[in-house]
Amino acid sequence: MSKLVIVGTVAFDAIETPFGKTDKILGGAATFIGLAASQFNVDAAIVSVVGGDFPKEYLDLLANKNLDISGVEIVKEGKTFFWRGKYHNDMNTRDTLATELNVLADFNPVVPEDYKNAEVVMLGNLHPLVQMSVLEQMNKKPKMVILDTMNFWMDCALDELKAVINKVDVITINDEEARQLTGEYSLVVAAQKIHKMGPKYVVIKKGEHGALLFHGENVFFAPALPLKEVFDPTGAGDTFAGGFAGYLTKTEDYSFENMKTAVIYGSTLASFCVEKFGTERMEELQDREVYQRLDQFKQLTKFEIILE
């Protein structure tokens, strides 16, 4: 079985949306990525850091999903990374009300010895120097390195980010970030520019409008499933990345054709994530629900046409 290394935040979130608000709940990029990847029963390890205030029940939750947490450092005298945000009525825009780096400020990732030969590495949204440190710890070049990042790092650590981008096979960013990174409005032109930075595959996420996959001259579009209600978009992008990485790890097929299916799985799992606050929906997700929704995706894009 292929192995998957996931690096990212394991954190506390406090969220307010038009549907309600929460106090501190489980969050973080690595948490959502891990929960999504766990749907594929792959051998995955999380590399992260938490403080002494992080509940054991949350670590147990991850472990019970067959995620290796030996790479999660616990700084007993420190506090866990915390983010508080408020979503606007359209649920596509949000205000960050508080960001407390806490133990994340001095985080030096340590990849567990058993995972230094992992075939797939998923670099969740973190400082590019932390992401690069993980790659440098691998005993051999992974077959697939996937990078997720955000505009914050483009603003304050662009050179370091470009150095990491040059080392990865796939980058997943949203449309706004793709435009900022390249200075191009056209996403097709933006993807071409990103290809030249290093990645063979570029995934551009468009939220409720789906996702685009680029590989050379090839383009694939996956829609987002229309949902009656979106309770909390937090973690949807990370869940997409986790589904994408988990499927590739399970199938061990890194071709463009198989990546199309990986994008569909990522979109499917992300559609569950937004249905409840935080990780709640992903914690209870059943295989049969995933298969039913995959069928909905299939019906959404299936049509017959006669070309004369």
Side-chain angles (χ1 to χ4, degrees):
M1 182 187 293
S2 288
K3 292 180 179 180
L4 169 64
V5 169
I6 299 164
V7 60
T9 53
V10 175
F12 291 131
D13 289 339
I15 301 156
E16 183 175 347
T17 78
F19 295 100
K21 60 190 299 185
T22 71
D23 291 322
K24 284 185 177 180
I25 58 173
L26 177 61
T31 303
F32 284 104
I33 293 169
L35 289 174
S38 72
Q39 292 292 322
F40 301 95
N41 297 315
V42 294
D43 186 358
I46 291 178
V47 178
S48 191
V49 62
V50 296
D53 58 345
F54 196 74
K56 183 177 180 295
E57 66 189 82
Y58 286 167
L59 292 172
D60 290 343
L61 165 67
L62 297 173
N64 290 337
K65 291 289 185 178
N66 292 322
L67 295 166
D68 187 300
I69 58 171
S70 62
V72 179
E73 179 187 359
I74 302 173
V75 182
K76 291 187 178 179
E77 66 279 9
K79 287 187 174 182
T80 302
F81 175 78
F82 171 63
W83 177 81
R84 181 188 298 276
K86 180 178 181 179
Y87 287 88
H88 296 193
N89 286 334
D90 66 359
M91 301 294 272
N92 287 321
T93 53
R94 70 187 185 191
D95 297 324
T96 293
L97 304 179
T99 301
E100 299 173 11
L101 289 177
N102 297 327
V103 294
L104 195 65
D106 301 310
F107 176 43
N108 291 309
V110 178
V111 178
E113 204 61 42
D114 288 347
Y115 290 86
K116 288 185 176 180
N117 62 345
E119 286 79 6
V120 182
V121 175
M122 177 68 231
L123 300 173
N125 179 32
L126 272 178
H127 195 293
L129 291 178
V130 175
Q131 295 173 324
M132 184 67 85
S133 171
V134 169
L135 293 182
E136 290 171 347
Q137 292 178 53
M138 304 304 291
N139 288 337
K140 62 178 183 179
K141 188 179 186 303
K143 293 181 179 177
M144 180 61 51
V145 179
I146 305 160
L147 170 73
D148 190 30
T149 190
M150 66 182 298
N151 49 10
F152 178 78
W153 305 118
M154 297 173 198
D155 293 334
C156 69
L158 184 58
D159 289 344
E160 295 91 336
L161 176 59
K162 285 184 175 180
V164 178
I165 290 174
N166 184 248
K167 299 286 187 184
V168 308
D169 302 290
V170 184
I171 184 172
T172 71
I173 51 177
N174 68 31
D175 46 359
E176 176 190 349
E177 292 156 353
R179 290 175 173 130
Q180 178 175 339
L181 182 60
T182 62
E184 299 289 347
Y185 185 80
S186 163
L187 295 179
V188 175
V189 177
Q192 290 172 344
K193 278 198 170 183
I194 296 170
H195 279 318
K196 292 177 181 176
M197 295 179 187
K200 295 189 287 289
Y201 301 92
V202 178
V203 178
I204 300 180
K205 300 171 288 186
K206 293 167 60 67
E208 64 179 322
H209 303 296
L212 288 156
L213 169 66
F214 296 89
H215 174 55
E217 297 300 314
N218 299 310
V219 185
F220 173 70
F221 173 72
L225 192 71
L227 299 171
K228 290 180 181 178
E229 292 178 318
V230 175
F231 275 85
D232 175 17
T234 311
D238 297 315
T239 300
F240 173 93
F244 181 84
Y247 179 78
L248 292 178
T249 305
K250 180 182 180 179
T251 58
E252 301 182 34
D253 178 353
Y254 312 112
S255 66
F256 179 71
E257 288 301 314
N258 199 50
M259 284 204 184
K260 292 180 183 180
T261 308
V263 168
I264 294 294
Y265 266 98
S267 297
T268 300
L269 292 174
S271 75
F272 286 108
C273 176
V274 302
E275 291 182 337
K276 291 188 177 181
F277 278 110
T279 59
E280 187 178 350
R281 189 67 176 93
M282 298 306 294
E283 292 174 34
E284 64 187 23
L285 188 58
Q286 302 294 316
D287 286 348
R288 58 177 175 77
E289 295 178 293
V290 177
Y291 292 127
Q292 287 170 357
R293 191 153 292 183
L294 281 168
D295 188 59
Q296 286 181 267
F297 262 96
K298 186 176 179 181
Q299 299 306 318
L300 186 68
T301 55
K302 185 179 180 182
F303 62 90
E304 300 291 337
I305 187 169
I306 299 174
L307 298 175
E308 297 181 352

